[in-house]
Every structure is written in C-alpha cells, then in structure tokens.
Amino acid sequence: MSTNLPCLEAAQRLLTWIGDSPTPFHTVLTAQKALDEAGFTPLNFSDRWQLDYGKRYYVPVHDSTLIAFTIGSAMADSGNLRLALAHTDYPCFRVKPSPELYGGGCGKLNVEGYGGMLRYSWLDRPLSIAGKVALKGKDPFHPRRVFVDFGRPVATIPSLAIHLNRSANDDLHLSLQKDMLPIVDVLEQALGGEAFFRKALAEECGAAPEDILDYELYVYQCEQGCLVGLEETMLSSPRLDNQTSAEACIYGLTHARRERGVNLAVLFDHEEVGSRTRQGAAGSVLPNVIERIYAAFGLSREAYLRDMTDGFALSLDVAHCSHPNYPEKADPTNRVRMNGGVTIKQAARQSYIGSCESSAVVQALCARSGIPCQTFVNNADIRGGATLGAIAATYLPMQVQDAGAAIAAMHSARELMGAEDQYHLERLVTAFFQG
C-alpha cells in the first residue's frame, strides 16, 4: 500500500465518521461526540450564554445544523474571526407521510427525491433508513423527538431486467415516482390500509405506532466505504459530499490552538436544496451566534460589525476531479487530480466564492504547512454547481474562499476520492484555525 500512515489514519477517520453519519441529524450527533471528547461545552440555542475566555463551546441548531467555536485568551484587534463552513446533507430519498404501497407481492415505500442525485446509481444496492421521529409529548408544543437508524439493509430498488427494457443501455429514464420506490418486504397479500412501515418504525423507536406524529426519514446507501486500488490509493464511499468537509472542520477546530480570536466551525443543513431554511446557510443562525458571542463579552455591536469585515471564512465542499474517462469535461489548463491535495475552487460567476486575495491566503497557508494544493475552474462550456459559500458571503462581509477535496462521481450513491486528500484537508483547516 503506497498511502502513508498519516494519510491512512485520516482516511480511516473519515470512513468511521461517514459510517456513523447516515443523515444530517446523525452527522450532528457524530460531531457532538467528537467535540465532547475534546472538552467542548454544549450550549442551548435558546438559553442566555455565559462564555469565558480560553473556553470551547458548541450549539446544535434544530438538530441538523451545528456551530462549534473556541474563544482565545483575548479578543484580537484584527483577524479576530475565522470560520470554516460545510454542510451535513446529501442527495438521497426522503420518506413521504403514509408511505406504504403494495405491488407485485411486495411492500414499497413512497419517497421523494432530495437534492440532485444520480438516480441510476441507487439501483440494486442495499439501503437503510434513518432520521428523526416526533412522538407524542407532554403537550402539543413539545413533541418528544427520537433519532432512529435501522442500521441494516431494509430496502432496495431493483432495476428492470435488460430483457424487459432493451434500450436501457442507450437511454435510461427513471421516474422518481414510479421507478425509484424502495421495496422493503415480500408480502403474501396486499395489506390495504395497514401501516406496515409505521409498525416497523415504532419498533425501532421503542414506541407505539399511534404515538408517532410525524418524521423526517431518509433512505441511505448502507454499504460501508473502503480503500480501493491495486495499492489502495483511492477511497470509495457514500456521502463524501460533504462529509469530507464536515469531518475536517471538526478535526481542525478540535486540534488547533489559537491564542487570540474566535474560531468557528459551522455545519449547515439543506445545502443540496438551496440553503434557504432556518438551519441553512441563507438563514440568520450564523450571524445570530457570532453577535451573541460578542455580546457575552460585553463588546459592542460596532465591534462585532467591524470584526466581521476583517474576518476570513473557508467554504469547504467537494470539487470535481478530472474524470479519467471524460477528460474533455475538464478545463484544459486546470486539471484537478485525486491525491493532488486541497482543491481551491474558482468561478467567474461566483458560484464558487473567492478572489485572488482570498485564494492567495489559502495557497500561502498550504505552502507554509507543506500541503499540496491545486485549482479547479469549470470547463467554460459547462455551468457547474455552486456552494453555500456564495450564499453566506451575502451577510458575511469578509473574505470567503471555496475549497475542498476533489472527487469523482459527485452526487452518486457512492463517490470516489484520493485516499490522501482527507489528510491534506484536515491539515488545511488545522493550519487555518491555528493561525
């Protein structure tokens, strides 16, 4: 195996993190565990905060977003704020209310698509279900919530045999409402109105079916990630987008020590559906938290606003590597490769946020720490995607730069990256927060 030990350890950390994080809710729980082990103090979003210099804190927001921060021994006069931003969600299927369907002797689930997935990649795979369930509580305004993960293959979406669809290899159209319904059991007869899924869900929750009021459940690909290649130089796994960045944000924050100033790691939800929600990057939660940090130390709103203009944010999300089978899809002079290090992302239309100055900062950090880096820009004929960085930059009047790990098969049920690149990303975030 050519991957060196530090890179291998980082790859294994990422695989463990991904295995523990099948939904945004579980990603936040995984991050909380890491922060608890590192001595961070949990805060309630609705409480009045008492903060101290030299301390470390985190606050979960609506269960699927998390903001963690460290306070130095003093507030700096400049460069006070440093932020690393990522997201917890990924393209998948969300289970609809009253989801039970029956057909061909099988029980099926009615689902809808979440985000822009490669649909065919979900066919013929072992799938599971996880998320949050709201149960009857002490009063209507306080339902009891339970986080659930079936944690085993309970569903699959079988493809139609080639004999029944001779054009499948030429033109495959998959309807979300018809072709992509997960099958969860072979049933002897149609169950009519009997809620077979609700019964199974109640067992997983340890509750009665009638106590389930609602849920936010997602179908996820439950095959474990692994190292691949003749010398294990690649990493294949579900949910690389954007668990690579979420893990690196928390790793960097827990391992860095900066004497002065405030470091924040922010894991937003709902990036894959536009970010315009209360716990998304377009919401008010991040400026709310930063302003409350300043207020807790008796600093004025003017001080908060002034420091906002002098801060720096890393917007961390995956990038496209140059696909070995489709080199024409890449930019001809900026070809990104797996194991090429941190990828700095640029776009003229600012769908990837940044400037020559902010890019120079990241390049200088990489050079100082011996971290390889490369630059991604889209082929001019391809529009490409976008990240939450451009959205957050509308209310963060500071330098913001998009960067991340390069992957292939983005938005597939299973994605591919270089086995060394998570180590490089962790080191960048650590160096950024270290100062």
Side-chain angles (χ1 to χ4, degrees):
M1 181 175 62
S2 63
T3 303
N4 62 39
L5 183 59
C7 293
L8 178 62
E9 290 174 343
Q12 293 297 344
R13 278 193 297 272
L14 176 61
L15 289 174
T16 298
W17 176 288
I18 291 173
D20 293 339
S21 308
T23 73
F25 307 115
H26 292 83
T27 299
V28 168
L29 293 173
T30 299
Q32 287 180 213
K33 180 181 178 182
L35 294 165
D36 288 337
E37 292 173 352
F40 281 64
T41 300
L43 301 170
N44 189 306
F45 193 54
S46 60
D47 288 347
R48 183 180 180 87
W49 295 349
Q50 298 293 328
L51 307 180
D52 296 313
Y53 287 111
K55 299 295 185 180
R56 318 170 106 194
Y57 303 92
Y58 70 84
V59 53
V61 183
H62 308 308
D63 296 326
S64 61
T65 286
L66 180 137
I67 300 178
F69 56 94
T70 63
I71 310 294
S73 60
M75 292 290 195
D77 294 327
S78 62
N80 195 27
L81 290 171
R82 292 185 190 167
L83 294 77
L85 316 176
H87 66 88
T88 59
D89 60 326
Y90 65 100
C92 60
F93 299 95
R94 176 166 159 152
V95 181
K96 291 182 178 180
S98 303
E100 293 86 357
L101 294 168
Y102 179 83
C106 292
K108 303 185 292 184
L109 292 183
N110 192 12
V111 299
E112 60 183 323
Y114 178 93
M117 73 184 77
L118 283 171
R119 297 178 189 178
Y120 65 82
S121 69
W122 286 79
L123 298 174
D124 306 316
R125 293 184 180 273
L127 307 174
S128 194
I129 300 167
K132 180 169 69 170
V133 181
L135 304 171
K136 290 179 181 178
K138 60 183 180 179
D139 62 64
F141 287 94
H142 296 89
R144 184 164 63 94
R145 74 192 196 285
V146 174
F147 301 103
V148 64
D149 179 8
F150 281 77
R152 64 189 188 279
V154 297
T156 191
I157 307 171
S159 56
L160 186 63
I162 187 68
H163 314 77
L164 306 178
N165 183 12
R166 293 292 183 178
S167 63
N169 289 328
D170 301 317
D171 183 20
L172 181 63
H173 172 75
L174 295 169
S175 162
L176 281 171
Q177 190 59 68
K178 179 182 182 297
D179 302 313
M180 304 303 295
L181 300 181
I183 294 173
V184 295
D185 252 328
V186 174
L187 303 174
E188 292 184 2
Q189 59 184 3
L191 298 179
E194 189 173 354
F196 58 86
F197 177 69
R198 180 173 287 262
K199 286 185 175 180
L201 179 60
E203 290 181 7
E204 290 294 324
C205 294
E210 58 270 20
D211 288 339
I212 297 175
L213 298 175
D214 209 342
Y215 50 73
E216 295 175 52
L217 295 175
Y218 300 91
V219 177
Y220 72 91
Q221 201 275 106
C222 62
E223 291 176 309
Q224 295 298 303
C226 63
L227 293 173
V228 298
L230 296 176
E231 297 189 13
E232 297 185 324
T233 54
M234 298 176 289
L235 190 155
S236 170
S237 177
R239 303 183 291 283
L240 293 180
D241 180 6
N242 190 27
Q243 298 294 348
T244 55
S245 303
E247 191 277 339
C249 284
I250 299 303
Y251 182 91
L253 187 69
T254 56
H255 285 76
R257 292 290 188 274
R258 188 156 69 106
E259 185 63 26
R260 300 170 66 87
V262 182
N263 292 336
L264 297 100
V266 186
L267 309 185
F268 287 113
D269 193 7
H270 297 150
E271 189 271 348
E272 299 293 356
V273 291
S275 295
R276 288 170 174 79
T277 65
R278 61 178 185 169
Q279 63 262 54
S284 62
V285 62
L286 178 55
N288 177 304
V289 168
I290 298 174
E291 187 169 3
R292 290 173 69 183
I293 292 171
Y294 276 68
F297 289 99
L299 298 172
S300 67
R301 179 171 173 80
E302 181 184 355
Y304 153 73
L305 294 173
R306 188 172 60 245
D307 279 356
M308 284 280 276
T309 65
D310 198 37
F312 197 103
L314 282 177
S315 170
L316 298 175
D317 206 343
V318 291
H320 298 287
C321 71
S322 178
H323 196 296
N325 295 337
Y326 300 92
E328 71 279 5
K329 297 293 185 180
D331 181 75
T333 63
N334 294 276
R335 296 188 181 273
V336 172
R337 63 180 183 87
M338 289 183 284
N339 289 330
V342 171
T343 301
I344 299 169
K345 301 159 68 174
Q346 297 184 7
R349 65 188 182 100
Q350 290 295 292
S351 51
Y352 307 131
I353 193 71
S355 65
C356 65
E357 183 180 359
S358 59
S359 172
V361 169
V362 177
Q363 292 184 57
L365 281 172
C366 288
R368 188 177 69 179
S369 300
I371 302 168
C373 66
Q374 53 193 339
T375 299
F376 173 85
V377 290
N378 284 305
N379 180 303
D381 291 328
I382 299 174
R383 181 177 177 84
T387 70
L388 59 80
I391 295 171
T394 61
Y395 57 79
L396 293 175
M398 61 178 66
Q399 292 277 8
V400 185
Q401 179 61 53
D402 264 310
I407 70 170
M410 191 184 298
H411 287 199
S412 172
R414 196 173 183 98
E415 298 161 323
L416 184 70
M417 68 181 290
E420 300 176 4
D421 285 334
Q422 189 63 19
Y423 176 62
H424 301 316
L425 192 61
E426 287 181 348
R427 291 179 64 211
L428 170 62
V429 181
T430 304
F432 172 71
F433 281 143
Q434 188 72 37

